[in-house]
Amino acid sequence: VQLQASGGGLVQAGGSLRLSCAASGEIWRVVSMGWYRQVPGKQRDLVARSTSGSGIDYADSVKGRFTISSDNAKRTVYLQMTSLKPEDTGVYYCNFDIISDPWTQREYWGQGTQVTVSQ
């Protein structure tokens, strides 16, 4: 399974960006898909995650500003980010929890895409 993320960039505070991440390969079922953010010297933290049968979770800091969505046919997850703040800056990683066959379930990470929000 491979994940390909795109959509990062430099934006001014108050602006918007949309991230995309597409999964390809041996996929029987997607259990969850989400986005995490990492800044230098800190751990990778959950931003938003959509779990099959369980709903959607957001970090408190992004509620009301970020929206996670997906196109299941394309096996693609999106993160629409609005009202961006400088503290949203970081490397954003997509994450898929995938069942490849009845005996194999594991998580996969995208390559990371940089989001920089300037004052």
Side-chain angles (χ1 to χ4, degrees), residues 96-100 104-109:
F96 277 65
D97 186 351
I98 288 171
I99 299 174
S100 300
T104 307
Q105 179 179 353
R106 58 159 287 190
E107 292 189 32
Y108 297 85
W109 293 92

Side-chain angles (χ1 to χ4, degrees), residues 9-112:
L10 173 65
V11 64
Q12 287 188 328
S16 299
L17 281 175
R18 188 192 195 210
L19 306 182
S20 301
C21 181
S24 61
E26 296 270 348
I27 300 172
W28 185 34
R29 188 164 77 87
V30 176
V31 177
S32 70
M33 41 191 160
W35 293 92
Y36 290 70
R37 177 174 62 222
Q38 189 167 26
V39 298
K42 295 192 174 182
Q43 68 181 18
R44 196 172 293 184
D45 291 328
L46 175 70
V47 175
R49 179 178 56 215
S50 175
T51 303
S52 178
S54 298
I56 294 174
D57 297 300
Y58 291 100
D60 288 342
S61 62
V62 307
K63 286 180 179 178
R65 300 188 298 120
F66 290 12
T67 303
I68 188 170
S69 62
S70 63
D71 183 330
N72 292 331
K74 295 182 180 179
R75 293 170 177 169
T76 301
V77 63
Y78 306 96
L79 185 68
Q80 180 68 48
M81 304 184 290
T82 63
S83 301
L84 281 159
K85 304 175 181 180
E87 50 264 43
D88 296 321
T89 294
V91 179
Y92 284 69
Y93 294 90
C94 57
N95 171 278
F96 277 65
D97 186 351
I98 288 171
I99 299 174
S100 300
D101 57 56
W103 307 276
T104 307
Q105 179 179 353
R106 58 159 287 190
E107 292 189 32
Y108 297 85
W109 293 92
Q111 79 278 18

